Amino acid sequence: MNASSTWHAHFSGQARYHVWATHRLLEAVSRVSDAEYRRDVGLFFKSIHGTLNHMLVAEHLLWYARFAKGASPVLALDAEIEPHRERLAQALKGGSANWTPLIASWSAERFDGQLDYRTSKGDPQSLPFAATLAHVFNHATHHRGQITAALTAMGQPCPELDMVYFLLAEQAPKA
């Protein structure tokens, strides 16, 4: 496998997993009462709602803009972009689907380059492109884990989000 197909295969898989895990998590979250959804449960961004808004800000409004447009918006990491929970879920689902075509559009050489951007404080930054893209997907996994821990503490059922379950789902015969 050449470098192009290796990078593309790896990050395309990460993007597909991201969509799958986002959908499964949001399905579980949809069953939680609004009071529990918005209650401070001790997460870094306090509530499930706060954490989901952070994910929208970080992954889709900041990182996606940096990777797709070379833009560096200035947004607070705890900004409440979408107060309505169903619209927030739709924005997260739509945002997660944007990564696959973006990754497919890049040349293999792009993965070996740098990502130049400005931080949310406006400071210039340059980081390895592929490692920073890996950060985006790792960041999502981190916060999905926080939310599933909160759901468990609330006595709510949680989806299995391990990558192996995604791989098995992809291999399963389609009905």
Side-chain angles (χ1 to χ4, degrees), residues 8 16 21 46 55 76 87 142:
H8 285 99
R16 291 190 321 276
K46 303 192 183 320
M55 292 170 73
R87 285 194 303 259
H142 166 69

Side-chain angles (χ1 to χ4, degrees), residues 2-8 11 67 103-115 127-131 133:
N2 65 33
S4 174
S5 57
T6 300
W7 282 125
H8 285 99
F11 285 113
F67 278 98
I103 290 164
S105 75
W106 292 326
S107 69
E109 295 76 31
R110 185 69 192 109
F111 293 97
D112 292 324
Q114 294 288 113
L115 179 68
L127 293 171
F129 190 90
L133 181 58

Side-chain angles (χ1 to χ4, degrees), residues 44-45 48-62 76-81 88 92 139 142-143 146:
F44 189 84
F45 293 96
I48 291 172
H49 178 74
T51 303
L52 291 174
N53 259 283
H54 167 70
M55 292 170 73
L56 182 65
V57 168
E59 295 159 29
H60 307 299
L61 302 178
L62 294 177
L77 294 176
D78 63 351
E80 182 184 42
I81 300 300
L88 176 56
L92 287 164
H139 178 266
H142 166 69
H143 286 299
Q146 290 181 320

